[in-house]
Amino acid sequence: MRTIDYSQYYWQDDKVRLRAIEERDWESSYAAGFDSPARILLECAVELPPTISGARQFVEQNAAFSSTNGRIMFTVENLDGEMIGGINLNSIDERNGTFSIGIVIDKPYRGKGYGTSAMNILLSYAFLERRLNKFNDYVLEGNEGSARMMRKLGCVQEGVRRQVVYIHGKYMDFILFGLTKDEYVAKRDADERRG
């Protein structure tokens, strides 16, 4: 295969690269299904056990940006080309300029800034290329890693939706976060000035 020069690639920074989901990603998708704590935080539910056919179907439905569910799905790689997770742009409302992002980073790669880097790439695309104006998201109560990442990105905690999901025999809250395009640009510019 031809060597690719990523030096001018829009979809990467100094930590991660985003790419289309490919057929070969099914094995990583399947393995990630066994990380029940992460899946609960992502899906806000206890899922049935993962299946090989389910992982293959997920990849088939989302490979090469073929998703028909309104999500733009990416694989997240580190700069060595290892798949380390997935991210997607979703809940896009072109009329009102709002959107959300879903992300999961595989266990060995968490806490190293990969998620924040991938989020920044997708936020930049949504705000500066798609002309969207407001990022809205939520974090399941107790998901301190994601809440920290939201704050690091400049998101503002906008509220709490109380007792909206039922997991492990109790009702849990969503912590609501938001970020406007102007807030994103101001933070990005301030970060660049600091160096």
Side-chain angles (χ1 to χ4, degrees):
M1 182 174 189
R2 183 178 179 175
T3 302
I4 298 171
D5 176 7
Y6 289 106
S7 64
Q8 300 296 312
Y9 186 51
Y10 177 88
W11 298 99
Q12 85 173 24
D13 66 5
D14 61 342
K15 285 186 174 273
V16 299
R17 178 179 305 124
L18 306 186
R19 65 163 172 80
I21 293 175
E22 299 174 355
E23 286 183 31
R24 65 185 163 115
D25 293 338
W26 77 265
E27 289 184 61
S28 293
S29 177
Y30 175 67
F34 291 93
D35 185 354
S36 293
R39 297 300 304 170
I40 290 169
L41 294 176
L42 180 67
E43 297 297 333
C44 298
V46 174
E47 299 174 312
L48 293 175
T51 63
I52 290 173
S53 62
R56 286 186 170 162
Q57 182 179 18
F58 169 81
V59 167
E60 182 180 298
Q61 290 173 343
N62 294 288
F65 305 110
S66 61
S67 173
T68 59
N69 64 7
R71 294 179 180 211
I72 304 172
M73 308 284 285
F74 298 86
T75 292
V76 181
E77 293 182 336
N78 63 21
L79 298 186
D80 293 328
E82 299 169 303
M83 180 180 174
I84 62 170
I87 191 168
N88 68 77
L89 186 63
N90 64 72
S91 303
I92 301 166
D93 179 341
E94 300 283 355
R95 181 180 182 278
N96 293 303
T98 59
F99 66 98
S100 189
I101 293 174
I103 183 169
V104 63
I105 299 297
D106 296 339
K107 191 172 185 176
Y109 303 99
R110 292 183 198 139
K112 298 178 179 168
Y114 293 128
T116 303
S117 286
M119 288 286 294
N120 266 316
I121 293 168
L122 212 47
L123 286 169
S124 179
Y125 172 71
F127 286 134
L128 305 177
E129 302 303 323
R130 296 288 298 261
R131 296 186 184 122
L132 299 172
N133 185 59
K134 176 81 186 305
F135 167 62
N136 294 308
D137 217 336
Y138 64 85
V139 171
L140 184 65
E141 75 174 89
N143 187 350
E144 295 303 321
S146 289
R148 251 189 324 278
M149 179 180 69
M150 291 292 168
R151 291 183 187 99
K152 188 174 180 181
L153 291 164
C155 295
V156 174
Q157 183 175 327
E158 297 182 334
V160 176
R161 289 192 58 213
R162 299 176 305 126
Q163 299 186 9
V164 292
V165 293
Y166 188 76
I167 304 170
H168 297 309
K170 68 178 186 172
Y171 287 97
M172 300 180 75
D173 300 342
F174 285 161
I175 313 303
L176 307 176
F177 287 93
L179 181 68
T180 67
K181 177 183 176 183
D182 290 343
E183 291 166 338
Y184 173 78
V185 170
K187 182 178 183 325
R188 182 198 63 180
D189 292 350
D191 290 348
E192 286 177 3
R193 282 193 300 276
R194 279 194 291 275

